[in-house]
Amino acid sequence: MSPELEKCPRSLLVCEKSNFLNEKSRHDIHVSKHNFNYKISVLIPECGILPANISSVIHSFSPYYLVRDLPVYQLLEETFLEPLVKKGNFYALSYNTKIDEDNAIALLSSGQLILSLDKDTYEQLGLEGRPSLYNHKKAMRFVVTLDLTDKSLTPGTKRYQRVLSSLKDRLPLRYDFLFTKYNTGSDEDQTLNKLLSQYSYEEHKPAFSQHTLKNMPCPTLYPSDIQGKTLSCDPHHFLEWLGAVNLDISCENAADSFLSTYVCPEPQSSVSQALLCTVTGFISPENVFVLLQELRQYFDEPKFTPWISLTVHGFMDSPVSWGATEHGFLKGGENLYNFVCFKNQDYWLHMATGAQDGCPP
Amino acid sequence: MEEPSKFERYVYKNASVYHYMKISLVLENGNKYITDAQFKQLIICGLKDLYGEVGASFPFDLLKFDQNELTGILRVYNSGLVKLWSALTLLGSYQNEACAFRVTQVSPFLLALSGNSRELRFGDQLIW
C-alpha cells in the first residue's frame, strides 16, 4: 500500500500549566487574544444545578448582531471609527463566508481589519497585502491587514482616502456581518444600535442550554501531572473524553464490541451526576473572561469535584486564531481552547489547532 | 501546604492518534430503517470494495449513530483516514438504492466536532 495513503493533516496541541494567582500567568492574555468565539461549554462534575452566580454571568453576555449586506468600507467611515473601532471591545466577522473558498473579513478589538481575499478580489481591489501562509504551489489567497488605529489611516490622510476609495468605488465588497461589542459603561449601549439602524439587522442573545448527566465515568486529574504520566490521564485522551461528553457518546463499550471500543480514559472514577451547559453565538473574549473568573470562584466553598472545565470553540472560518496569527481551513478549521480549573487555583490550558494554523501563543 | 504550581508548557505536534469524522448518509428515496450495525457494515463493505480484504483490515469505531437522521461519528487511526474517507466518498448504493455519504466535519480532536461554527444559522432555523 502506498505510504501516501497513510498521511494525515498536522495538528497542534499546546498544554500549559500554571496558577491563576501567579503574577506571570498568561490566562488573561490567551483569552483576550482569541477574538472570535462561537461556542462555550462548561462541565461541572458532581453538580446537578447550575450555580446562580454562573447562570447570571451567562445570561448577561452581550448580545450580538447579524447585519445583512454591509459594505466593508463602512467599517472605515468616521461614524464607525471613532465610537466603535478606536474605543476597542468591538468585534466584527463576515458571516457565511468560507475561509477556504470565499473572501472573509474580520475586525479585531485592537482595530486591525483583516481581509482574507482570493486572487481575483485581491488584484482588483489593489490594496497592499501579502500571500497567505497556507498557499499550496500557486498563491491563490492573499491577506490584507489594515491597522485602523494607525496614524497613516486617520481620516483625511492620503492612504486613508486610497483605501476608502478602493473599498467604496473600485470594488465595493458587501457581506453579512456578525457584530458584538462588550459594554464597559452604560452610555455606550445605544451607539451600535443607532449606527446599525440604517441597515437590515437582527439582534440575538447567545443561545444557552444545559443538561444534567447521570452516573458517568470521569477521568481523574491531578494538577501536578498535566502530561498524564502517573496520576492523571493523558491530555489527548482527556480532550477526547470531553468531546464524548459534549456529543453524548457512550463511554462504556466492551473491548470486543463490533460498533465501538471507546472507553473513558484511565485513571477514572464514577460520578453520580455532572452538569454540562453550552452557550452558542458570537461571543466576545471579555465575556469569556468574566465567566472564567466566576468559575474560579466555584471552589470558594467546599465541593465534591476537584476540577471543572471550560471549553471555548473558535470560528472555523475566521481569518485569525489567536491575535493576528493567520488561520486557515484545510480538512478542518478547529481552533479551540480548554481550561481545567482546580481547587487550589491551579489551572491547565489546552489550546488545539489544525493544519493551517500558527502555534498557539 | 501545597507548593505553588510551577509553570509548564508542552507542545504536541501530530500527537493525536485518531481522527474523527462526522458523517451523514443520504438515500435517494428518503430514510430507511437502518440499525447502527448495518450502518457500520455498509462502510466496511465500501472499504473492502475499494481496498480489498487486506487493505480494509483496519479498525474504526462508530462512536455514535442517530437512527432518525442517519448521522454518525466515526473514529479512525490516522493511517486509515484517507482510506476511510475515500471509501465513504465512493460508496454509491445501499441495498440496490442509490445513496451518498456526506462528510460534515473531520478533525483530530473529538472535542472540535461539538463546535462547528458552520452550523450557525439564522431565520427559521434554530441555533443549536
Side-chain angles (χ1 to χ4, degrees):
Chain A
M1 255 311 121
S2 165
E4 294 293 323
L5 285 180
E6 303 202 343
K7 279 189 183 171
C8 68
R10 92 71 175 134
S11 64
L12 283 174
L13 178 66
V14 173
C15 302
E16 273 190 13
K17 167 172 123 23
S18 182
N19 188 295
F20 286 118
L21 303 169
N22 193 335
E23 283 173 353
K24 292 187 187 169
S25 172
R26 299 189 299 160
H27 63 278
D28 45 353
I29 299 172
H30 287 309
V31 172
S32 62
K33 275 184 136 188
H34 197 258
N35 282 272
F36 304 110
N37 307 296
Y38 163 64
K39 182 171 175 181
I40 295 177
S41 78
V42 178
L43 179 69
I44 309 177
E46 306 282 17
C47 174
I49 305 168
L50 189 63
N53 58 331
I54 298 175
S55 177
S56 78
V57 162
I58 291 177
H59 286 98
S60 59
F61 273 6
S62 320
Y64 64 98
Y65 304 86
L66 172 65
V67 188
R68 298 279 185 194
D69 210 33
L70 180 83
V72 178
Y73 77 81
Q74 271 294 344
L75 294 169
L76 275 89
E77 289 276 307
E78 288 178 60
T79 44
F80 256 79
L81 262 181
E82 288 310 317
L84 288 173
V85 179
K86 293 200 172 163
K87 282 202 174 154
N89 304 124
F90 176 67
Y91 304 86
L93 182 66
S94 55
Y95 168 68
N96 218 12
T97 52
K98 298 198 163 96
I99 190 79
D100 53 340
E101 291 175 17
D102 314 313
N103 302 317
I105 319 287
L107 179 63
L108 314 184
S109 171
S110 56
Q112 286 180 296
L113 180 64
I114 316 261
L115 301 117
S116 174
L117 310 169
D118 59 41
K119 189 163 185 284
D120 290 340
T121 312
Y122 175 68
E123 287 173 354
Q124 283 173 50
L125 198 58
L127 290 176
E128 205 182 304
R130 54 157 183 83
S132 162
L133 295 170
Y134 307 117
N135 279 316
H136 192 44
K137 288 180 182 174
K138 268 176 124 178
M140 298 301 288
R141 180 158 286 275
F142 293 83
V143 180
V144 176
T145 307
L146 300 166
D147 186 349
L148 300 180
T149 57
D150 192 37
K151 277 185 225 161
S152 64
L153 279 172
T154 322
T157 55
K158 269 191 197 168
R159 187 167 171 234
Y160 176 82
Q161 286 303 116
R162 223 192 120 246
V163 171
L164 194 64
S165 72
S166 287
L167 287 167
K168 204 171 184 174
D169 309 313
R170 206 181 219 177
L171 187 66
L173 297 171
R174 301 177 80 101
Y175 295 100
D176 292 349
F177 273 90
L178 289 168
F179 280 179
T180 190
K181 180 165 175 39
Y182 180 72
N183 284 322
T184 43
S186 52
D187 302 332
E188 303 160 55
D189 283 338
Q190 295 309 312
T191 327
L192 188 55
N193 290 60
K194 276 188 209 154
L195 284 167
L196 292 177
S197 53
Q198 46 184 313
Y199 298 101
S200 159
Y201 78 98
E202 299 154 27
E203 183 176 326
H204 295 276
K205 269 291 232 181
F208 168 75
S209 86
Q210 59 178 348
H211 304 280
T212 307
L213 309 153
K214 302 275 184 196
N215 297 323
M216 50 181 256
C218 191
T220 311
L221 305 175
Y222 278 89
S224 52
D225 182 24
I226 187 173
Q227 286 187 291
K229 289 188 172 162
T230 47
L231 301 164
S232 316
C233 75
D234 174 84
H236 282 91
H237 291 146
F238 173 63
L239 292 179
E240 183 186 42
W241 175 83
L242 265 183
V245 170
N246 274 276
L247 292 163
D248 191 28
I249 288 172
S250 163
C251 299
E252 284 154 31
N253 296 298
D256 59 352
S257 162
F258 171 67
L259 290 172
S260 167
T261 55
Y262 178 66
V263 288
C264 177
E266 294 287 343
Q268 53 158 287
S269 60
S270 181
V271 297
S272 54
Q273 57 181 0
L275 184 71
L276 175 71
C277 66
T278 63
V279 187
T280 313
F282 186 58
I283 303 162
S284 69
E286 290 89 346
N287 282 138
V288 176
F289 190 69
V290 169
L291 177 61
L292 180 63
Q293 299 290 79
E294 207 58 49
L295 287 172
R296 282 174 55 188
Q297 290 174 31
Y298 182 74
F299 294 111
D300 285 351
E301 288 162 17
K303 294 285 185 324
F304 287 119
T305 180
W307 59 264
I308 59 179
S309 155
L310 167 70
T311 310
V312 180
H313 297 264
F315 274 81
M316 303 244 154
D317 297 305
S318 158
V320 296
S321 53
W322 274 269
T325 311
E326 192 183 340
H327 166 80
F329 188 113
L330 182 59
K331 305 286 194 296
E334 53 276 311
N335 57 97
L336 59 95
Y337 64 91
N338 182 73
F339 275 98
V340 181
C341 308
F342 294 95
K343 261 192 257 203
N344 59 354
Q345 295 294 306
D346 272 358
Y347 70 86
W348 290 355
L349 172 57
H350 302 107
M351 293 179 278
T353 61
Q356 291 187 348
D357 259 297
C359 188
Chain B
M1 268 296 272
E2 278 184 46
E3 275 183 23
S5 186
K6 277 189 260 179
F7 175 76
E8 289 172 38
R9 180 181 160 99
Y10 304 99
V11 181
Y12 298 92
K13 185 174 170 185
N14 292 335
S16 177
V17 175
Y18 299 104
H19 261 75
Y20 305 87
M21 305 177 76
K22 200 186 246 184
I23 62 174
S24 76
L25 177 62
V26 176
L27 292 163
E28 193 179 29
N29 297 326
N31 282 1
K32 266 189 178 177
Y33 177 74
I34 299 179
T35 64
D36 41 15
Q38 286 170 320
F39 190 79
K40 186 167 180 189
Q41 189 56 34
L42 172 62
I43 301 172
I44 293 174
C45 289
L47 272 168
K48 285 187 179 163
D49 285 346
L50 194 53
Y51 294 105
E53 286 283 344
V54 174
S57 61
F58 60 89
F60 66 92
D61 293 302
L62 178 63
L63 296 177
K64 189 175 159 82
F65 177 64
D66 181 335
Q67 206 154 38
N68 299 320
E69 303 290 320
L70 292 183
T71 57
I73 297 178
L74 305 176
R75 174 176 78 161
V76 64
Y77 282 100
N78 291 340
S79 53
L81 174 66
V82 172
K83 287 196 216 169
L84 181 59
W85 199 338
S86 51
L88 288 168
T89 308
L90 295 174
L91 233 160
S93 69
Y94 173 65
Q95 290 181 351
N96 292 321
E97 188 181 323
C99 73
F101 273 100
R102 301 274 177 250
V103 176
T104 319
Q105 196 180 354
V106 178
S107 177
F109 304 104
L110 181 58
L111 189 51
L113 261 58
S114 66
N116 186 353
S117 60
R118 289 185 172 184
E119 289 168 1
L120 183 62
R121 289 277 175 267
F122 299 96
D124 301 326
Q125 288 159 301
L126 293 169
I127 312 160
W128 164 232

